[in-house]
Amino acid sequence: MKSIKIDEFKNFKFLGNLHLSKNEKNLFYTVSNMNLEKNSYEHRIYKMDLETKKSFVFTNGAKESSFTELLDGSILFASDREDSKDDSEQTKFYRICPCGGEATLDFTIPALVNTIKQINEDEFLVLANFNRTKELEKIEKESKKDENKENLYDDSKDYLVATEIPFWGNNVGFTNENRSRLYLFNKKTSEFIPLSDDITDNYCLQLNEDKTKAIFIANSYVGKMPLVTEVRVLDIKTKAVEVLAKDYSFEYVNFIDSRNIITIATDMKEYGLNENSNIYIINIESKSFEKIVNDNFDMCMHNSVGTDIRLTGGKSILVKNGFMYFINTEVNSAYLYKIDKEGNLERLNEKSGSIDCFDVSKDGKIYAIALKDSNLQDIYEITTESENRISFHNDTSDYTLSEVEEINFTNDGIGFIGYVMKPTDFDPNKKYPGVLHVHGGPKTVFGKVFHHEMQFLANNGYFVFFTNPRGSDGRGKEFADIRGKYGEIDFDDLMKFTDAVIKKYPALDEESLAIMGGSYGGFMTNWAIGHTNRFKAACSQRSIANMTTEFLLTDIGYYFIDDQISTTPWNNYDKMWYHSPLKYANKAKTPTLFIHSDEDYRCWVPEGIQMFSALKYHDVPARLVMFKGENHELSRSGKPMHRIRRLKEIFDWFENYLK
């Protein structure tokens, strides 16, 4: 048996973008892998014959991270196979016959495309990046050329100008005045016509069955992005756009039949940003807006099961056969559901784990990329009775794995489930160090799915234990609501859980414990070291230290902190400072490793710098590691060598202070 090594994920395959072909004879999907030599990822499209269940590489350009099926069954994907050095904003689309062969360049769109939907042989609806400032600069440069005025030096790359919030975004960089604009593209004439204005962000573009109408979500703003959006419908022939619904935060929208639209939305009035959405039907003709499930409906309608072995996405919501299919998180797993326009709801699978993306046939057969048992991602045929694995890109049978054990505990009269992974060399007569792992969010969950980082620690002689404290997903709106209580009831849940683990597992050395976590887990790590000395080491990643700077400096801060801490710097600064781990840094004694990324605008580097400086000022051992060119997703999709270095930093820190 092989142990899980620090770089074991170099051998893993990451699956995504599962798509059932129109003739329902094949599955297309992407398979990604690490290339350590190039310190990057490679992405290829695969094809599975559903009769033989055999898969093979369909494209081999190593850059095909997503695709769409055209009306004739051809596969269309964006790439740059010529490795063009042209820095102009454009997207090249290649086309490949469904039977295989060589992909050929089909057309080029003069913008960075987010979404493309085919109307007919030549026309496409497109959502593409647009920036008002950059467009004006282009026009100005062109006019100077016409006037024969030479610019000796183009200084436009020497500065950044912010005129709105948010002006940057995690994983996308500086975004000031960027919008996802709606266009009509004709590949025969190369016409690229805008159909929306230049201040509106558009997303979730869908076409009706006969391709005469399009539905999408729109967010118009100048100065400050609002949290409420609109549902708009486009008549493709006349180009007329009409607003169908507004004043809600819409997450998804699609045609469920020729006259009705199904949408997922929330008004955020009862539980704020983390309020679970509900399902509504909008009638195109009457514009009626009707909730189709009762007030007891308390689902999140997305997958929030954490792991570090996903890379690309795929369909998590789909309308087909008069139903909306969606993934929902319950307790520690992500299941598949369907609902019709009358509100009849049905869960479609029973086995725990994680449905990551899926597609559905005309007769209701479900195919899903999933994490099941101790396996990595693979494809399954799913029914309510069984889940049959039909692809074998990953095999964990040769690895020495730590089984995830459940432990029940109670706090404040509430029952919780915790999870414990024993060291793989476990001997009940020995003592082992342990690591409390805190998830991000906080509205996400830990479950029993494969987690490389945790298995690596267990393979190297550590207990790893984790749970879902109040604030987590999977147990309804009230359980997830910790607004104004950060660091209080959630911290108490985690400490009670740690007590329960120590009591049940006498081989766990309570004098050699560490705490670690990222994002909200980084906040909680920072909070814990200022409120207890029970941990002998800590690792705080992509964390929050100061609620005021998090509010004013990060991409979601101005609305997330306002909502979650229930205050702003101007209406109750004392409360904001009370919930800031930095306030308690003078009490910390725990040696702490801080890990941040310089392009993480969700929890920006200054958060880690503040805590690091505070600990050093008070003579507490601390180390700050800042990764260049990485963002909030370092541990999940960062460059392969950076992911290895990150895990080495954590392991070395724990080895030094716990062993």
Side-chain angles (χ1 to χ4, degrees):
M1 301 289 281
K2 299 184 295 184
S3 64
I4 299 290
K5 295 184 172 62
I6 196 167
D7 62 348
E8 202 62 55
F9 41 48
K10 73 179 186 294
N11 300 314
F12 299 163
K13 304 296 183 184
F14 307 90
L15 279 61
N17 302 297
L18 187 68
H19 173 75
L20 177 64
S21 63
K22 287 180 170 55
N23 62 14
E24 301 195 348
K25 294 182 178 180
N26 303 292
L27 287 174
F28 291 95
Y29 55 101
T30 55
V31 176
S32 306
N33 61 275
M34 293 182 177
N35 185 323
L36 292 186
E37 191 174 308
K38 295 182 178 179
N39 195 24
S40 63
Y41 297 90
E42 297 179 341
H43 313 277
R44 295 173 176 86
I45 301 172
Y46 272 62
K47 177 182 176 181
M48 174 185 284
D49 183 310
L50 284 174
E51 184 177 351
T52 64
K53 301 298 190 294
K54 290 183 178 179
S55 294
F56 59 90
V57 179
F58 191 63
T59 65
N60 209 11
K63 296 180 180 180
E64 301 85 45
S65 58
S66 63
F67 61 90
T68 188
E69 185 179 7
L70 298 178
L71 297 175
D72 65 357
S74 299
I75 298 298
L76 186 77
F77 60 90
S79 187
D80 184 5
R81 294 195 158 191
E82 291 81 23
D83 288 320
S84 172
K85 304 301 180 184
D86 184 3
D87 63 355
S88 62
E89 294 189 343
Q90 60 178 9
T91 306
K92 296 180 179 179
F93 283 95
Y94 292 79
R95 185 185 192 123
I96 184 170
C97 173
C99 57
E102 188 65 32
T104 58
L105 181 63
D106 199 27
F107 54 85
T108 300
I109 292 179
L112 298 179
V113 173
N114 307 315
T115 304
I116 186 165
K117 301 281 186 180
Q118 188 177 22
I119 301 170
N120 53 47
E121 185 178 349
D122 296 320
E123 290 186 306
F124 297 81
L125 278 179
V126 172
L127 292 179
N129 286 4
F130 177 84
N131 186 288
R132 290 190 298 167
T133 302
K134 290 179 181 178
E135 194 63 27
L136 289 172
E137 287 174 354
K138 285 180 189 176
I139 294 170
E140 184 180 358
K141 287 177 186 177
E142 289 301 318
S143 68
K144 286 181 178 179
K145 285 182 184 178
D146 293 341
E147 295 169 9
N148 293 318
K149 292 181 180 178
E150 289 289 333
N151 253 340
L152 295 178
Y153 178 65
D154 179 8
D155 67 348
S156 61
K157 295 182 180 179
D158 293 349
Y159 54 84
L160 298 171
V161 177
T163 59
E164 62 185 22
I165 54 174
F167 55 81
W168 56 15
N170 183 65
N171 202 27
V172 290
F174 198 74
T175 60
N176 193 69
E177 295 193 2
N178 278 4
R179 300 292 187 268
S180 180
R181 198 172 187 183
L182 180 63
Y183 294 87
L184 179 65
F185 175 71
N186 188 306
K187 76 170 190 175
K188 182 178 283 187
T189 65
S190 296
E191 286 182 295
F192 190 53
I193 303 168
L195 301 178
S196 65
D197 60 47
D198 59 3
I199 63 167
T200 302
D201 218 17
N202 304 288
Y203 56 98
C204 199
L205 177 66
Q206 311 285 354
L207 294 177
N208 64 353
E209 191 171 351
D210 61 8
K211 309 294 191 292
T212 59
K213 294 184 185 298
I215 193 83
F216 55 96
I217 299 170
N219 192 359
S220 297
Y221 64 97
V222 174
K224 183 173 74 172
M225 185 188 73
L227 301 183
V228 294
T229 52
E230 296 179 345
V231 176
R232 298 181 182 179
V233 62
L234 166 73
D235 186 300
I236 295 174
K237 184 177 181 180
T238 66
K239 312 299 186 295
V241 176
E242 190 176 10
V243 176
L244 294 181
K246 59 182 181 179
D247 298 330
Y248 278 67
S249 176
F250 294 96
E251 297 178 24
Y252 178 81
V253 62
N254 207 342
F255 295 91
I256 196 164
D257 59 33
S258 60
R259 292 184 298 173
N260 293 291
I261 291 162
I262 192 165
T263 183
I264 298 173
T266 174
D267 60 10
M268 301 173 286
K269 289 181 179 178
E270 188 176 5
Y271 289 97
L273 286 175
N274 280 339
E275 181 169 324
N276 289 345
S277 296
N278 222 307
I279 303 174
Y280 299 82
I281 291 291
I282 306 172
N283 184 279
I284 296 178
E285 295 164 359
S286 67
K287 296 187 186 178
S288 60
F289 185 67
E290 181 183 356
K291 187 191 296 185
I292 60 170
V293 288
N294 63 41
D295 292 333
N296 294 324
F297 184 75
D298 199 9
M299 294 187 173
C300 60
M301 288 176 283
H302 60 261
N303 184 343
S304 57
V305 178
T307 181
D308 57 1
I309 46 90
R310 294 190 193 100
L311 194 65
T312 54
K315 300 185 188 81
S316 60
I317 306 175
L318 172 67
V319 172
K320 203 163 189 176
N321 311 326
F323 294 95
M324 182 178 77
Y325 296 81
F326 62 93
I327 297 171
N328 177 60
T329 302
E330 294 180 49
V331 187
N332 64 2
S333 296
Y335 299 95
L336 194 60
Y337 276 77
K338 72 176 182 179
I339 189 170
D340 63 19
K341 65 182 181 181
E342 278 75 43
N344 298 305
L345 187 68
E346 181 183 357
R347 192 163 98 172
L348 301 176
N349 71 308
E350 296 299 326
K351 189 174 182 181
S352 63
S354 173
I355 304 292
D356 289 352
C357 64
F358 66 94
D359 208 341
V360 182
S361 70
K362 292 171 186 172
D363 61 0
K365 185 178 290 185
I366 298 165
Y367 300 95
I369 292 172
L371 295 164
K372 296 291 178 177
D373 302 315
S374 297
N375 296 314
L376 301 168
Q377 286 181 314
D378 260 307
I379 302 173
Y380 293 77
E381 279 183 341
I382 292 179
T383 68
T384 52
E385 292 81 27
S386 65
E387 298 184 6
N388 179 34
R389 185 177 175 185
I390 60 173
S391 79
F392 298 87
H393 290 282
N394 291 295
D395 184 8
T396 58
S397 61
D398 290 338
Y399 289 115
T400 302
L401 300 180
S402 176
E403 182 182 351
V404 181
E405 301 177 5
E406 293 188 2
I407 174 173
N408 296 304
F409 69 101
T410 302
N411 190 30
D412 287 345
I414 301 170
F416 295 84
I417 303 173
Y419 307 93
V420 178
M421 296 167 63
K422 290 186 292 194
T424 52
D425 64 350
F426 182 71
D427 180 342
N429 297 312
K430 292 183 179 180
K431 285 283 190 179
Y432 297 88
V435 179
L436 170 62
H437 204 311
V438 186
H439 65 60
K443 200 182 175 191
T444 62
V445 299
F446 273 147
K448 299 173 75 171
V449 300
F450 189 99
H451 202 293
H452 169 257
E453 180 178 285
M454 295 183 185
Q455 288 289 352
F456 168 69
L457 289 171
N459 268 257
N460 281 275
Y462 288 86
F463 271 90
V464 184
F465 51 103
F466 46 97
T467 190
N468 298 312
R470 278 171 285 184
S472 301
D473 206 353
R475 296 183 63 177
K477 297 186 286 281
E478 186 175 349
F479 185 87
D481 185 23
I482 58 169
R483 289 173 300 165
K485 301 173 186 175
Y486 273 53
E488 296 178 342
I489 58 175
D490 46 351
F491 177 66
D492 192 46
D493 290 342
L494 290 166
M495 294 305 99
K496 290 295 194 302
F497 168 58
T498 302
D499 293 339
V501 174
I502 291 170
K503 184 177 180 180
K504 183 172 181 179
Y505 294 88
L508 174 60
D509 185 357
E510 63 178 302
E511 298 300 319
S512 297
L513 298 181
I515 183 172
M516 68 180 293
S519 196
Y520 165 78
F523 157 83
M524 184 53 70
T525 301
N526 291 345
W527 184 271
I529 63 174
H531 287 79
T532 179
N533 293 323
R534 74 188 305 173
F535 299 107
K536 304 308 177 187
C539 176
S540 171
Q541 305 164 74
R542 56 189 188 279
S543 69
I544 297 173
N546 184 336
M547 291 299 176
T548 302
T549 51
E550 179 70 16
F551 181 103
L552 294 168
L553 297 180
T554 61
D555 60 348
I556 67 171
Y558 71 92
Y559 58 84
F560 185 81
I561 300 301
D562 185 4
D563 179 78
Q564 292 294 292
I565 306 303
S566 301
T567 187
T568 73
W570 303 281
N571 60 24
N572 191 343
Y573 180 81
D574 288 344
K575 181 171 178 57
M576 185 161 279
W577 183 235
Y578 169 81
H579 290 285
S580 298
L582 189 62
K583 172 180 169 67
Y584 312 97
N586 62 325
K587 299 178 182 178
K589 304 295 181 187
T590 307
T592 303
L593 169 67
F594 297 94
I595 295 177
H596 273 263
S597 301
D598 70 347
E599 295 180 7
D600 180 352
Y601 304 128
R602 187 65 38 82
C603 296
W604 197 28
V605 168
E607 297 302 308
I609 292 174
Q610 290 176 85
M611 281 298 292
F612 167 76
S613 298
L615 264 61
K616 296 300 283 188
Y617 180 81
H618 290 98
D619 300 318
V620 179
R623 177 179 173 89
L624 172 63
V625 182
M626 296 177 283
F627 285 85
K628 293 182 178 180
E630 295 292 357
N631 59 68
H632 203 65
E633 303 305 309
L634 168 64
S635 64
R636 298 175 284 249
S637 60
K639 293 176 182 176
M641 296 306 294
H642 289 176
R643 291 178 69 173
I644 293 169
R645 176 58 185 266
R646 168 193 164 273
L647 198 46
K648 184 178 186 303
E649 289 282 349
I650 296 169
F651 181 65
D652 289 350
W653 192 259
F654 289 166
E655 289 283 287
N656 184 44
Y657 286 100
L658 299 184
K659 291 186 178 180

